[in-house]
Amino acid sequence: MSEKTFPVSAEFAAQANINKAQFEEMYARSIDDPEGFWDEQANKYVSWFKPWKKTMDWSFDQEDLHINWFTEAKLNVSYNCIDRHLEKRADQVAIIWEGDSPEDTRKITYRELHEEVSKFANVLKARGVEKGDRVSLYLPMIPEAAIAMLACTRIGAIHSIVFGGFSPEALASRINDSDCRVVITADQSMRGGRRVPLKSNADIALEHCPNVHSCIVVKRGGDPIEWTEDRDVWYHEAVDAASADCEPEQMDSEDPLFILYTSGSTGTPKGVQHTTGGYLVQAAMTHEAVFDYKEGDVYWCTADVGWVTGHTYIVYGPLANGATTVMFEGIPTYPDISRFWEVVDKHNVSIFYTAPTAIRSLMGAGNEPVEKTSRKSLRVLGTVGEPINPEAWEWYYNIVGNGKCPIVDTWWQTETGGHMMTPLPGVNDLKPGSAMQPFFGVNPVLLDDEGNEIEGSPAAGNLAIDRPWPAMIRTVFGDHKRFYETYFSMFKGYYFTGDGARRDEDGHYWITGRVDDVLNVSGHRLGTAEIEAALGLHEKVAEAAVVGYPHDLTGQGIYAYVTLMDGEVGTDELKTELVKLVRAEIGPIAKINLIQWSPGLPKTRSGKIMRRILRKIATNEIDSLGDTSTLADPSVVDDLIEHRENS
Ligand code: WTA
């Protein structure tokens, strides 16, 4: 926590899209008259083929759980992101693609995007993809990823993007869960000068996906690949032969737009399902309001399209607003540690949005790699994905932004679709590490463990939301019951975020991190259950329990307690094997930092592992273990403390 505040400059406030007085008036209206407020926003940000009958229609009750926005309205997302801009900005660059190597740059105008998306939409149709079908994307950060997303939306297909860093096993389970019949991938992806064999990963995955009949392959790396006749198609060959004429499908506001898998407390990752109208309204509105976006800005979000941030803030929000959006294939440290700032200078980026973990790692290399670049085009900075520590915040503000760019610390989730709490750059005197205040229409509440609202400030509790917002998750794909159980069963009548938060004396919010069994490693969500299941695949492992602990660079590190079949202490070689196993099952983002051999785990008499105790041991908070008397065998705790790994 930091006591310092960084006032919004009079100069910035004067030119901002939204100033303090406007914010207060708009926010009050968004809460008191949500229908009137969102009607206006929906008309301002989105072009509709047919208007809606009812703005919002919802219930968070178990029997009747449903969330509808802009009912019976018709629209098309690719039309909103491309076609409607053609009259005014056909020759404006829509996507600046910056490749892994600084020599690789490509600029795509709105006119070109229209042609490419239409052609690829026709390719999908020719492969039998129809409205409502799911299509899986397993792609690098190349323009074809955005083109494929938009092509799906053009014909009403539902994309499910699987991050290119996920393993074949993770890809296969996502393809099968959503019953995708068509997969789009690339031969290789290029990151930091290294190649990742995406197509051969996809080949392995597809051995377990009998329903997939088409695998469309973008040529990126150019290395030889295996080829399955009848199933595999080169992207460029198919697109070359396709017509550039494709009418956008008229979609219902509540038709599904995409599915994105994310980790939760229990079980396998779930397919978060978003729909069309409400999502697009909030994506476009937040992009403009939160980043103070204006015509002429060059906007860069460094996320990957495999995560929700890439969906909403590389593709849909910026393109709906007719912006120029930068898409970066590489990593911040290649060819050297100045890369981010060199790209900023090269393309005159004015709005820059990244993750705290990237800032922390760049901060470690000192100021020189930043200061040798100009960055004079920068106007607004943003962060997302995890809490940012004040030290990293101040470095970002003073060194990267030269003390003149407001930072928007945006709190949101895969499930929320768009920003939920964030400062606005022309409104707030900033507090490093605070997400400050809710966005329009969002009414956050802090609940105690019994579900009572905690009134007043300061206060701390479980963060929940008491009403729907337009870009909200609509269901878990194929499992509406799980949707209820995951988000609405904990506190009746509320959407529960899984996060804890604090409200300070001024009523500003600070996200304190997950209060459930979800880890956040370098801004990536991982479920402890998934990692435990992967560890359990090893023949020598009897049981495993995974917890997070604070980590300077990645925010959280992964600490695994492993019980072997013979109850013995394992070798260092076995540790290496287990680390590799989890990496192979889930992907490189699931990197276990520490393994402790644990002859026994602390369990209740009914056999439930008490993670609270394991967390305390991992973080070396031995003094505050709490009550251990309810354990079946309290003595296991002493053994765990004695042999804890140094985190
Ligand atoms: C965390 C990413 C603190 C939080 C958009 C949330 C944050 C989870 C912030 C969602 C922030 C995201 N400050 N914590 N500004 N933004 N988080 O689904 O724990 O990948 O629940 O969505 O990241 O992660 P997800």
Side-chain angles (χ1 to χ4, degrees), residues 132-139 145 148-150 152-153 157-164 166 170-185 256-262 269-274 305-307 311 316 477:
D133 289 350
R134 276 80 57 205
V135 174
S136 183
L137 275 59
Y138 184 61
L139 282 166
M149 291 164 78
L150 290 161
C152 287
T153 72
I158 303 164
H159 59 71
S160 164
I161 308 189
V162 181
F163 173 57
F166 277 123
L171 174 62
S173 71
R174 285 158 173 78
I175 290 173
N176 288 332
D177 185 78
S178 51
D179 193 17
C180 292
R181 310 289 170 100
V182 173
V183 175
I184 305 161
T185 188
L257 177 63
F258 65 83
I259 298 167
L260 185 56
Y261 284 85
T262 193
K270 27 182 201 305
V272 170
Q273 183 165 310
H274 283 287
V305 290
W307 308 112
H311 285 62
Y316 293 122
F477 182 80

Side-chain angles (χ1 to χ4, degrees), residues 502-516:
R502 196 163 75 64
R503 197 165 48 220
D504 69 18
E505 296 74 12
D506 306 320
H508 294 131
Y509 286 88
W510 303 69
I511 306 298
T512 49
R514 302 287 305 198
V515 294
D516 55 9

Side-chain angles (χ1 to χ4, degrees), residues 541-562:
V541 172
E543 194 171 32
V546 168
V547 297
Y549 68 93
H551 189 283
D552 285 347
L553 218 53
T554 58
Q556 270 192 314
I558 305 178
Y559 193 117
Y561 297 87
V562 176

Side-chain angles (χ1 to χ4, degrees), residues 308-309 384-387 409-414 499 511 514 520 525:
V308 74
T309 307
V384 57
E386 48 179 325
D409 178 353
T410 59
W411 172 81
W412 58 297
Q413 310 178 297
T414 305
D499 280 315
I511 306 298
R514 302 287 305 198
N520 190 328
R525 262 169 85 161

